[in-house]
């Protein structure tokens, strides 16, 4: 990990500032590999019915290798103060951006999979304007955070690590947020540190009905369950099953072939797109490629899969009752089901998100809703 960082002078409390500095040789190697891609033929079928269409992938691969400006993205990321600190035996990378407003509420944001701290870059400005100090750690095994050294790593362990991070930063009271993988981790921070966590804000996942709930659902709720079970995004590539079975096997291809890595990332971001229009109309292409490049340069396609390979089955997050919860969700989430395991104080009916990664698609909308929730609990 450290070969990609230019370290500056040590900071207090064991935290070391750094800047991202990918070697030029790695950039040249990426471009050469993309130029030498051995393209496969297009299989029969319309659109995305067999996976990422060849012509679509070739066009984006050409852009990644010839026009995408990693150095510009790297410089942009380096405008945010970044640090690394050792917690529980692992180096943890994080952004720490302070609000200019008086009496800010600290807020720790946890990204999803297959995403990274890049998920929140466009939301940092709106959040600091709303009066939040923003802390964005990279989950162990993702980006510049060290990977777990043994099997059995858990979201509860990450929750305890985040609580320790906020303690080291000197914060006595703070909020936590998470979506996707973060929706499992954020509640664990509250479980680990309830006396200091003001509230937990979760993007989706809570209150999703399952077949075991069917007999207790009314007609409208059963319709939502059926819609969930039949939705395109629930029938994409089963990354949980794939990575639970053989993450090491697939990591060879993702690490060796940027075209394979690009296809994998496109498949998942396409599966997570609920807009009914092309992905590049919903999420910024350079943001997608910045996230992908981070995975490529840090060799974290395999190490980021620990939430899947250390699980036995897939299940929606449950949350917690230690502190109040706010949910940015729409159908199929059902508030009364979420309230079985959470004290819900915020459940807006105005979520118009068109992509699973809301912070990338609608950063200002999400920041405003988060400000509304945390104003209730701080």
């Amino acid at each position: 990990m450290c070969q990609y960082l230019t370290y500056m002078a040590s900071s207090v409390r064991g935290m070391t500032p750094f800047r991202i500095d990918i070697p030029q040789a790695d950039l040249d190697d990426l471009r050469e590999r993309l130029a030498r891609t051995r393209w496969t033929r297009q299989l029969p079928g319309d659109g995305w019915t067999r996976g990422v269409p060849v012509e679509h992938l070739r066009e984006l691969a050409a852009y990644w290798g010839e026009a995408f400006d990693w150095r510009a993205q790297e410089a942009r990321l380096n405008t945010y103060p970044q640090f690394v600190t050792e917690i529980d035996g692992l180096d943890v990378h994080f952004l720490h951006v302070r609000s200019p407003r008086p009496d800010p509420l600290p807020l720790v944001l946890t990204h999803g999979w297959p995403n990274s701290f890049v998920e929140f870059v466009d939301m940092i400005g709106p959040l600091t304007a709303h009066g939040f100090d923003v802390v964005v750690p990279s989950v162990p095994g993702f980006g510049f955070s060290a990977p777990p050294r043994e099997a059995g790593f858990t979201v509860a362990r990450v929750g305890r690590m985040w609580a320790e991070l906020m303690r080291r930063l000197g914060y006595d009271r703070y909020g936590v947020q998470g979506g996707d993988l973060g929706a499992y981790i954020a509640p664990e921070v509250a479980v680990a540190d309830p006396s200091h966590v003001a509230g937990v804000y979760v993007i989706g996942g809570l209150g999703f009905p399952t077949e075991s709930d069917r007999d207790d659902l009314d007609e409208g709720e059963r319709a939502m369950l059926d819609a969930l079970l039949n939705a395109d995004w629930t029938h994409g590539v089963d990354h949980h099953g794939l990575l639970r079975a053989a993450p090491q096997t697939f990591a060879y291809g993702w690490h060796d072939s940027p075209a394979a890595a690009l296809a994998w990332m496109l498949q998942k971001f396409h599966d997570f797109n609920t807009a009914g229009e092309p992905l590049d109309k919903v999420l910024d292409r350079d943001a997608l490629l910045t996230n992908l490049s981070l995975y490529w340069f840090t060799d974290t396609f395999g190490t980021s899969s620990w939430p899947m390979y250390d699980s036995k089955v897939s299940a929606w997050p449950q949350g917690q009752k230690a502190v109040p919860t706010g949910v940015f969700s729409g159908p199929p989430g059902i508030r009364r089901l979420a309230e079985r395991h959470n004290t819900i104080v915020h459940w807006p009916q105005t979520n118009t998100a068109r992509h699973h990664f809301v912070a990338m698609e609608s950063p200002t909308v999400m920041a405003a809703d988060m400000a509304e929730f945390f104003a209730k609990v701080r």
Side-chain angles (χ1 to χ4, degrees):
M1 179 189 71
C2 296
Q3 70 190 70
Y4 295 126
L5 310 177
T6 301
Y7 281 87
M8 302 189 298
S10 295
S11 65
V12 297
R13 294 186 295 274
M15 297 184 182
T16 305
F18 71 82
R19 294 174 59 83
I20 304 169
D21 186 15
I22 302 300
Q24 185 60 41
D26 287 5
L27 292 174
D28 295 340
D29 176 70
L30 171 60
R31 295 189 179 109
E32 290 169 5
R33 287 172 184 264
L34 285 166
R36 290 187 288 105
T37 299
R38 185 178 179 226
W39 293 104
T40 188
R41 69 189 72 187
Q42 178 64 53
L43 301 178
D46 296 328
W48 288 68
T49 57
R50 297 294 183 270
V52 184
V54 174
E55 287 308 310
H56 180 70
L57 190 67
R58 292 188 73 147
E59 186 276 330
L60 193 55
Y63 177 79
W64 190 20
E66 299 168 12
F68 174 71
D69 190 346
W70 166 259
R71 290 300 184 205
Q73 299 300 322
E74 183 180 73
R76 184 189 181 206
L77 296 177
N78 280 332
T79 63
Y80 300 104
Q82 299 175 62
F83 303 84
V84 66
T85 187
E86 183 180 323
I87 303 176
D88 200 12
L90 298 175
D91 284 344
V92 173
H93 160 264
F94 65 99
L95 278 62
H96 186 201
V97 186
R98 297 186 182 274
S99 172
R101 294 181 58 176
D103 191 28
L105 177 69
L107 185 60
V108 57
L109 312 178
T110 304
H111 62 79
W113 175 98
N115 222 315
S116 65
F117 72 93
V118 171
E119 180 178 341
F120 298 113
V121 167
D122 288 334
M123 204 167 68
I124 292 174
L127 284 174
T128 56
H130 278 293
F132 293 104
D133 279 0
V134 179
V135 179
V136 189
S138 295
V139 175
F142 291 72
F144 297 112
S145 283
R149 295 193 179 97
E150 67 281 326
F153 203 77
T154 66
V155 292
R157 184 168 171 182
V158 182
R160 293 191 294 271
M161 293 171 72
W162 282 190
E164 171 61 17
L165 173 62
M166 298 304 278
R167 186 196 67 79
R168 290 187 191 181
L169 289 172
Y171 290 128
D172 184 63
R173 187 165 176 80
Y174 59 92
V176 295
Q177 177 276 338
D180 190 81
L181 173 60
Y184 297 84
I185 293 174
E188 294 293 345
V189 184
V191 172
D193 195 21
S195 63
H196 297 103
V197 174
V200 175
Y201 182 95
V202 174
I203 305 170
L206 297 185
F208 277 25
T210 66
E211 281 289 1
S212 63
D213 297 311
R214 185 177 289 276
D215 290 343
D216 295 325
L217 302 178
D218 63 28
E219 184 177 352
E221 292 169 344
R222 281 194 292 271
M224 281 198 290
L225 172 59
D226 291 337
L228 171 64
L229 296 176
N230 292 306
D232 289 343
W233 62 271
T234 63
H235 292 281
V237 175
D238 181 6
H239 58 273
H240 283 273
L242 185 152
L243 292 173
R244 193 158 47 237
Q248 186 72 64
T249 299
F250 296 103
Y252 295 117
W254 298 324
H255 180 61
D256 187 63
S257 168
L262 175 60
W264 173 238
M265 195 69 76
L266 273 182
Q267 180 68 57
K268 293 316 305 173
F269 274 75
H270 170 80
D271 289 346
F272 292 155
N273 179 20
T274 62
E277 56 183 310
L279 182 61
D280 60 5
K281 302 295 184 183
V282 181
L283 298 183
D284 179 70
R285 178 166 63 172
D286 278 3
L288 275 171
L289 290 176
T290 300
N291 182 62
L292 170 60
S293 298
L294 191 65
Y295 274 74
W296 175 263
F297 291 132
T298 59
D299 180 21
T300 47
F301 289 101
T303 61
S304 64
S305 65
W306 65 260
M308 277 67 78
Y309 67 70
D310 277 336
S311 65
K312 293 181 174 61
V313 295
S314 302
W316 299 114
Q318 286 193 336
Q320 50 74 47
K321 277 187 173 288
V323 304
T325 295
V327 181
F328 192 61
S329 183
I334 300 173
R335 180 169 180 164
R336 68 176 183 83
L337 298 184
E339 287 175 337
R340 294 179 297 192
H341 305 288
N342 301 268
T343 303
I344 306 291
V345 301
H346 181 79
W347 187 288
Q349 302 297 313
T350 55
N351 183 353
T352 58
R354 302 179 300 156
H355 197 278
H356 180 62
F357 292 122
V358 185
M360 297 181 79
E361 187 234 326
S362 302
T364 56
V365 172
M366 183 175 153
D369 192 70
M370 291 175 67
E372 184 178 338
F373 164 67
F374 283 107
K376 299 174 181 177
V377 299
R378 67 172 299 170

